[in-house]
Amino acid sequence: MTILVIAEHTNSALAPATLNTVAAAQAIGGDIHVLVAGQGVGAAAEAAAKIAGVAKVLVADNAAFAHQLPENVAPLVVELGKAYSHILAAATSNGKNILPRVAAQLDVDQISEIVSVESPDTFKRPIYAGNAIATVQSSAAVKVITVRATGFDAVAAEGGSAAIENISAGGDAGKSAFVGEELAKSDRPELTAAKIVVSGGRGMQNGDNFKHLYTLADKLGAAVGASRAAVDAGFVPNDMQVGQTGKIVAPQLYIAVGISGAIQHLAGMKDSKVIVAINKDEEAPIFQVADYGLVADLFEAVPELEKLV
Amino acid sequence: MKVLVAVKRVVDYNVKVRVKPDNSGVDLANVKMSMNPFCEIAVEEAVRLKEKGVASEIVVVSIGPTQAQEQLRTALALGADRAILVESAEELNSLAVAKLLKAVVDKEQPQLVILGKQAIDSDNNQTGQMLAALTGYAQGTFASKVEVSGDKVNVTREIDGGLQTVALNLPAIVTTDLRLNEPRYASLPNIMKAKKKPLETLTPDALGVSTASTVKTIKVEAPAARGAGIKVKSVAELVEKLKTEAKVI
């Protein structure tokens, strides 16, 4: 068995989710090859070659892959993928965008967001916003799978010495074009990889009040998340949303401030090791999953918390 | 131009689902069913395109049991012109659904197909991308803005780091994110009118599509329960517990 892992990267650097995806590949067992498709990906490819357990790195450096357009990347993965037993990608917005297109072109079902590997053909994945765990078995010749990063511990980023092989393939399919992007800038750790996450909900009342959470987060070295209510109300940008339709996080400590705890929010954070809830409504559902609950006005509790930590 | 919208009947998003004792699946008997929230957004977007004069006809399609007619009627009440139900009693995987949708696309020849980004039951997030692969069309997934201009559609997508805009050649496939729009409610007169709108019923056999699957569900379990913890009385006590008991700060 040989497994192809599609690297998650920003062209210049490898994204941490790649390490969790390689961990899932190791759990399946077999030789692991990593595909780095993009433009100017030299540094990302070298980083991929150093990942512990990776046997080979395939580099497809082509202007057509610069923005990971699925119309251009999927045919490359399909062409390469036929020789592999498994094709894995992280369940990031890129992985979710590209892999189903690959699976359909290979005429196989895809398995989304696995959280554990039972055997090389059997996997567990959450359904119904994480309220049920399905065990699924694939009989496909090539198993196409996205991996929920929080389900697997990252492998070591150093220690490997994989061979790097350049492949010249692919081009512009001429169906789509990149127009532009607006990326949120932040010095805080990335939300999905942070050890501590502080999240705010509707209880924050406005975007300005999020500054209390930023101050607290900076002191804890934490990332800041939000509930859908806070995003929809325009308090913070949508890339901060934690939940079924936002990001899935599983930090050591999750502090939910002014968040009621709807099913859709819990789907994104209930695998956190320790959950703290600060809410003035003692009936809020968030207290049913919180390890430590504090019934208090967040505008008094958060500044006090910031002083004490 | 003609717009095709795919909708799915799913358990209502507010329902706390329970796993069946025999681990064969989730208990959906006597549970409230609704249109998948992302599909509502897809219908709304199509209706807005029609109101802007961009879309001339909206065809709504669902693949599912007979009762999915209810969701199609809802879509008709919201402004779709006619509906197609591809009737299938069994739960189908995304690839089978995409193949059936491809057959409907071949038949209807829409310029734009709008789907939700994921169904809140299977949480797959696959069908739109698979349909794009099968038709060979471009895909604009997780859309928070859709602008049709000439023979192209500009789609602003929600990505992990923020937003990305891509230009797609038509015909194209778009899947909706939550922030694309705020779906309207159907008014009573529109619900009455929707009863008279055409609804065609097809079967996978009639479309010549095999719904065989390479993935099967072996069992469905409840997730490990997470018990309630304790309530602390003050911020000082919270910090103390986090430092000494949980040891996370």
Side-chain angles (χ1 to χ4, degrees), chain A residues 71 97 133 175 180 272 292-293, chain B residues 136 139 141 165 221 226 232 245:
Chain A
E71 296 81 6
N97 195 26
I133 307 292
K175 289 174 182 167
S272 304
Y292 301 106
Chain B
Q139 67 189 55
T141 53
T165 304
E221 299 160 290
R226 183 170 190 126
V232 294
E245 206 174 274

Side-chain angles (χ1 to χ4, degrees), chain B residues 1-3 45-57 148:
Chain B
M1 68 179 190
K2 190 194 275 190
V3 179
E45 194 63 19
V47 174
R48 289 187 189 189
L49 286 173
K50 194 175 177 190
E51 286 169 348
K52 278 189 229 160
V54 176
S56 51
E57 187 187 24
V148 178

Side-chain angles (χ1 to χ4, degrees), chain B:
Chain B
M1 68 179 190
K2 190 194 275 190
V3 179
L4 182 73
V5 182
V7 303
K8 185 176 183 185
R9 174 185 171 89
V10 298
V11 65
D12 188 83
Y13 73 98
N14 276 315
V15 171
K16 178 112 173 79
V17 296
R18 289 188 199 290
V19 171
K20 287 184 191 167
D22 66 357
N23 293 118
S24 62
V26 164
D27 193 357
L28 295 180
N30 304 317
V31 167
K32 186 183 178 203
M33 304 294 278
S34 302
M35 191 192 299
N36 181 45
F38 291 97
C39 303
E40 285 183 3
I41 294 168
V43 172
E44 175 67 29
E45 194 63 19
V47 174
R48 289 187 189 189
L49 286 173
K50 194 175 177 190
E51 286 169 348
K52 278 189 229 160
V54 176
S56 51
E57 187 187 24
I58 302 168
V59 182
V60 60
V61 55
S62 188
I63 290 153
T66 317
Q67 298 92 312
Q69 287 190 11
E70 293 166 22
Q71 279 64 46
L72 288 171
R73 290 287 172 204
T74 305
L76 293 171
L78 291 169
D81 296 298
R82 60 190 172 89
I84 300 170
L85 172 65
V86 181
E87 217 171 315
S88 164
E90 54 175 334
E91 183 81 7
L92 298 177
N93 283 336
S94 298
L95 183 62
V97 171
K99 284 179 179 174
L100 290 165
L101 289 175
K102 157 82 161 57
V104 174
V105 166
D106 288 346
K107 197 165 159 290
E108 295 286 339
Q109 298 289 320
Q111 283 294 97
L112 187 63
V113 186
I114 313 180
L115 304 87
K117 78 164 179 181
Q118 76 189 62
I120 59 163
D121 52 359
S122 60
D123 280 337
N124 271 335
N125 197 332
Q126 299 173 2
T127 306
Q129 295 88 314
M130 288 180 157
L131 179 61
L134 298 175
T135 52
Y137 297 163
Q139 67 189 55
T141 53
F142 327 146
S144 60
K145 195 172 171 193
V146 175
E147 284 177 315
V148 178
S149 61
D151 59 351
K152 286 197 191 308
V153 56
N154 272 17
V155 178
T156 300
R157 308 177 50 236
E158 302 207 352
I159 59 170
D160 288 337
L163 298 170
Q164 179 196 61
T165 304
V166 290
L168 313 176
N169 295 352
L170 292 172
I173 312 288
V174 168
T175 74
T176 63
D177 216 315
L178 285 171
R179 268 159 292 279
L180 183 57
N181 59 48
E182 181 115 357
R184 70 193 67 188
Y185 291 98
S187 66
L188 188 60
N190 285 343
I191 292 170
M192 299 312 288
K193 274 185 225 156
K195 292 184 179 175
K196 296 201 180 71
K197 290 186 180 176
L199 193 158
E200 181 187 0
T201 303
L202 298 168
T203 61
D205 285 345
L207 290 168
V209 175
S210 158
T211 56
S213 169
T214 53
V215 170
K216 64 170 188 223
T217 301
I218 299 172
K219 66 177 172 185
V220 175
E221 299 160 290
R226 183 170 190 126
I230 55 161
K231 290 234 171 98
V232 294
K233 295 218 161 34
S234 67
V235 174
E237 189 188 347
L238 174 64
V239 173
E240 143 84 18
K241 296 263 190 214
L242 289 177
K243 279 184 175 156
T244 57
E245 206 174 274
K247 296 190 174 63
V248 282
I249 56 172

Side-chain angles (χ1 to χ4, degrees), chain A residues 11 27 41 49 55 74 104 142 145-146 151 170-171 181 183 194 209 227 231 242 273 275 290 301 304:
Chain A
N11 283 323
V41 291
V142 184
I145 297 165
T146 61
E181 63 188 2
L183 299 180
N209 285 336
S227 71
V231 173
V242 171
K273 187 161 170 277
I275 298 172
E304 196 183 339

Side-chain angles (χ1 to χ4, degrees), chain A residues 152-179:
Chain A
F152 297 87
D153 292 330
V155 297
E158 300 284 335
S161 56
I164 297 182
E165 186 183 312
N166 282 296
I167 48 172
S168 59
D172 192 339
K175 289 174 182 167
S176 57
F178 172 81
V179 176

Side-chain angles (χ1 to χ4, degrees), chain A residues 200-210 230 233-235 257-258 280 297-299:
Chain A
R202 200 194 304 272
M204 298 307 296
Q205 293 178 2
N206 59 51
D208 204 31
N209 285 336
F210 260 76
F235 299 174
V257 181
K280 65 181 175 191
D297 183 347
L298 68 95
F299 295 105

Side-chain angles (χ1 to χ4, degrees), chain A residues 187-208:
Chain A
D187 297 331
R188 294 185 191 89
E190 199 215 340
L191 189 53
T192 53
K195 292 214 162 26
I196 303 179
V197 173
V198 180
S199 279
R202 200 194 304 272
M204 298 307 296
Q205 293 178 2
N206 59 51
D208 204 31

